[in-house]
Amino acid sequence: MTRSDTDFTARATALDAADPLAAYPGEFVGHDDPEIVAYLDGNSLGRPTRRTAERLSAFVTEAWGRRLIRGWDEEWFELPLTLGDRIGGTLLGAAPGQTTMGDSTSVLLYKLARGALAMRPGRTEIVLDRDNFPTDRYLMESIAADSDMTLRWIDADFDGGVTAADLAAVVSERTALVVLSHVAYRSGYLLDAPALTAVTHAAGAMLLLDLCHSVGAVEIELDTWGVDFAAGCTYKYLNGGPGSPAFAYVRADHLADFRQPIWGWMGRENPFDMAHGYVPAPGIRRVISASPGIVGMLPIQDMLDLIEAAGMPRVRAKSVALTEFALDLVREWLLPRGVTVSSPIDPARRGGHVTIDHPRFREITARLWQRGVMPDFRRPHGIRLGLSPLSTTFGEVLAGVAAIRAELDADLDV
């Protein structure tokens, strides 16, 4: 063991001991599993909470098993709105009545984008960046093809993201909608959301933010920033489980005019009237189409309990501390082995994950998984270290980066 190894081990131990959120990793299933050396993929799929295991079992035997159809009247019909308000207030900086749950992120992005475009008639362009998440790009390509719109692409830095200057260079009086990810899925670049909102509005356009890689790791203030629309998933930092439902935000002053394209009975005014003709429900309910996935909403409530108890300022501080520690390890141990950093160094411009690149990382990632170290791989040759603030320890970060170093050295020894 080198002096560097000894120093970093002592530092990780001290950071975990001093961590004000040190009790939280124990709240998650698998935290004490000896086969999982380091789980560094919380920005793709968060661990389940221990309370969720109990909640799901009780739901089957009690809420579903005993209350049966009465559950819709007692809770489920309103749950997309009540849980939406809770997400809005705790995580999005959104006043009540602007956030709802249901559908996948893809479906909600589609609904929001089509509704936004209908509110800007006569404008012909959608602005987005080439490094946005594939689904976001594919959806806008589909919408543009169906609506005879033109896509205006921003070419952002590979290891950065879209700046206000980048956006100002492409928006115009023709721009109807700007679609951006608050945190870039690959680089982890954190947008200056207030500045980008101001640029968008100065052009008379609307801004749709994808919050998938920021919600639960970064403090968000949609109302204060003036963002028009937003959507995000709940299976990353909100630990809702595989395919858990997404959320949608529509700014309050847009609700009266907002019309989404997938008309369903549960988003209609007085839905149980079963009347002819679609009339959108008042308020945020109009975003809903069909019966929401109630089971998928249950785990999110447990994670919100933990985040509310911890407080988002402390969650964000832990996120920054984890990524700073990871970068220090990368600088000392991995840069000399040919690794490059593809994430912002400035924590004010960095979300909750760090991306590093090396030509051998595709093969190395598979070997890391076999040894119980679980980051994820992103093309062309990047490993993302996804550090979920409430479930990840500094010791895990140390073990994970040490394993990457060991695999790089093993390749050199072959």
Side-chain angles (χ1 to χ4, degrees):
M1 181 177 287
T2 68
R3 170 77 177 274
S4 171
D5 289 23
T6 302
D7 290 346
F8 275 124
T9 299
R11 182 176 165 193
T13 300
L15 286 168
D16 279 326
D19 179 13
L21 305 180
Y24 284 86
E27 297 287 339
F28 295 87
V29 174
H31 172 69
D32 52 1
D33 185 342
E35 294 186 5
I36 303 175
V37 176
Y39 187 61
L40 307 178
D41 209 0
N43 63 324
S44 284
L45 178 65
R47 292 177 181 267
T49 68
R50 296 186 185 278
R51 177 67 183 89
T52 288
E54 301 169 1
R55 182 189 291 270
L56 289 174
S57 177
F59 179 80
V60 172
T61 58
E62 298 296 327
W64 179 11
R66 297 188 65 192
R67 301 312 298 162
L68 296 168
I69 196 66
R70 292 174 291 185
W72 284 107
D73 289 335
E74 294 168 352
E75 180 184 16
W76 304 338
F77 184 76
E78 294 297 329
L79 188 58
L81 307 187
T82 56
L83 186 55
D85 278 347
R86 194 174 171 198
I87 288 174
T90 300
L91 302 171
L92 308 183
Q98 301 175 101
T99 311
T100 187
M101 297 287 302
D103 300 318
S104 65
T105 309
S106 300
V107 172
L108 290 177
L109 285 171
Y110 178 79
K111 288 180 175 182
L112 295 175
R114 291 297 298 262
L117 291 173
M119 297 171 68
R120 287 294 182 268
R123 292 183 172 234
T124 58
E125 294 184 354
I126 302 171
V127 170
L128 68 164
D129 63 293
R130 294 191 188 277
D131 287 328
N132 208 333
F133 191 76
T135 287
D136 301 54
R137 291 184 274 117
Y138 303 157
L139 281 169
M140 295 311 118
E141 289 172 6
S142 170
I143 291 171
D146 288 344
S147 308
D148 197 26
M149 302 287 290
T150 299
L151 296 179
R152 292 274 287 167
W153 295 97
I154 300 171
D155 292 300
D157 290 339
F158 179 74
D159 57 354
V162 179
T163 67
D166 294 331
L167 182 59
V170 297
V171 293
S172 70
E173 72 281 356
R174 297 182 299 275
T175 307
L177 180 66
V178 175
V179 182
L180 299 171
S181 286
H182 188 211
V183 167
Y185 83 98
R186 193 183 191 284
S187 72
Y189 180 84
L190 173 62
L191 297 179
D192 184 346
L196 290 161
T197 303
V199 171
T200 300
H201 290 170
M206 292 182 158
L207 177 63
L208 168 55
L209 274 188
D210 181 334
L211 303 177
C212 286
H213 284 88
S214 60
V215 64
V218 173
E219 292 179 274
I220 298 169
E221 294 292 342
L222 295 181
D223 285 357
T224 299
W225 299 340
V227 171
D228 300 289
F229 306 98
C233 66
T234 59
Y235 44 79
K236 301 181 189 296
Y237 297 111
L238 300 190
N239 304 66
S244 57
F247 60 86
Y249 164 91
V250 179
R251 204 176 73 203
D253 58 324
H254 293 324
L255 281 168
D257 298 322
F258 178 77
R259 299 288 187 276
Q260 56 96 351
I262 305 176
W263 296 355
W265 79 283
M266 199 169 276
R268 190 194 188 280
E269 181 182 57
N270 301 319
F272 290 98
D273 287 352
M274 307 293 180
H276 286 284
Y278 181 80
V279 179
I284 193 67
R285 179 172 286 281
R286 63 182 54 202
V287 176
I288 300 173
S289 298
S291 302
I294 299 300
V295 176
M297 295 184 190
L298 302 178
I300 303 164
Q301 299 173 64
D302 299 311
M303 191 60 187
L304 283 170
D305 288 343
L306 295 181
I307 293 174
E308 287 167 355
M312 270 307 300
R314 291 203 300 174
V315 171
R316 176 57 179 161
K318 173 74 176 291
S319 177
V320 170
L322 286 167
T323 54
E324 288 284 279
F325 184 53
L327 284 170
D328 286 347
L329 290 166
V330 168
R331 292 186 190 100
E332 182 73 19
W333 289 350
L334 302 187
L335 295 190
R337 291 165 169 82
V339 171
T340 58
V341 176
S342 299
S343 291
I345 300 303
D346 179 3
R349 294 275 66 84
R350 187 176 66 240
H353 68 269
V354 171
T355 299
I356 53 179
D357 281 279
H358 189 278
R360 299 293 295 166
F361 272 171
R362 180 186 291 275
E363 296 82 3
I364 284 175
T365 300
R367 301 204 301 265
L368 289 169
W369 281 34
Q370 291 174 355
R371 64 191 292 171
V373 174
M374 301 178 199
D376 67 1
F377 176 79
R378 284 294 178 265
R379 296 182 64 186
H381 39 66
I383 279 179
R384 289 193 314 184
L385 306 175
L387 312 177
S388 189
L390 293 188
S391 63
T392 305
T393 67
F394 293 94
E396 281 185 281
V397 178
L398 177 79
V401 178
I404 295 171
R405 178 184 61 173
E407 290 296 342
L408 285 168
D409 288 346
D411 277 354
L412 293 175
D413 292 339
V414 173

